Amino acid sequence: MSDAAAAIAALSFEKALAELETIVGHLERGDVPLEESIKIYERGEALKKHCEALLRQAEAKVEKIRTGANGQATGTEPLDVEG
């Protein structure tokens, strides 16, 4: 793993997303030289993949609460976001 990839992997979701938003802003303004645009675009792609992986991990941890007939919680089960 490169130093840049390791640095991205160490970022929290919030920090990675904030940096990604900054990159998008720079690219949308169009005031960045071509070579730098390519470099920050590549970093943005890596940040996007990192954020997506963190979201998948979070979704896997989310559980929904099961309730009994009396409305009391009886346990949890994995959240089925597809169904």
Side-chain angles (χ1 to χ4, degrees):
M1 180 181 294
S2 71
D3 290 342
I8 287 173
L11 291 174
S12 69
F13 176 81
E14 292 78 11
K15 287 185 180 183
L17 185 60
E19 185 176 342
L20 184 55
E21 289 172 343
T22 299
I23 287 172
V24 169
H26 286 302
L27 293 173
E28 285 179 341
R29 280 196 310 274
D31 60 355
V32 180
L34 179 61
E35 286 298 318
E36 186 178 343
S37 291
I38 292 168
K39 185 190 275 186
I40 64 174
Y41 178 85
E42 289 170 346
R43 181 160 176 90
E45 278 295 312
L47 288 163
K48 176 182 161 278
K49 288 178 183 177
H50 178 62
C51 287
E52 288 171 343
L54 291 174
L55 284 174
R56 282 192 303 274
Q57 290 172 11
E59 287 173 350
K61 292 178 183 178
V62 172
E63 297 178 323
K64 69 177 176 182
I65 299 172
R66 290 188 312 224
T67 56
N70 63 359
Q72 296 296 315
T74 60
T76 60
E77 62 187 60
L79 180 62
D80 179 14
V81 294
E82 299 292 323

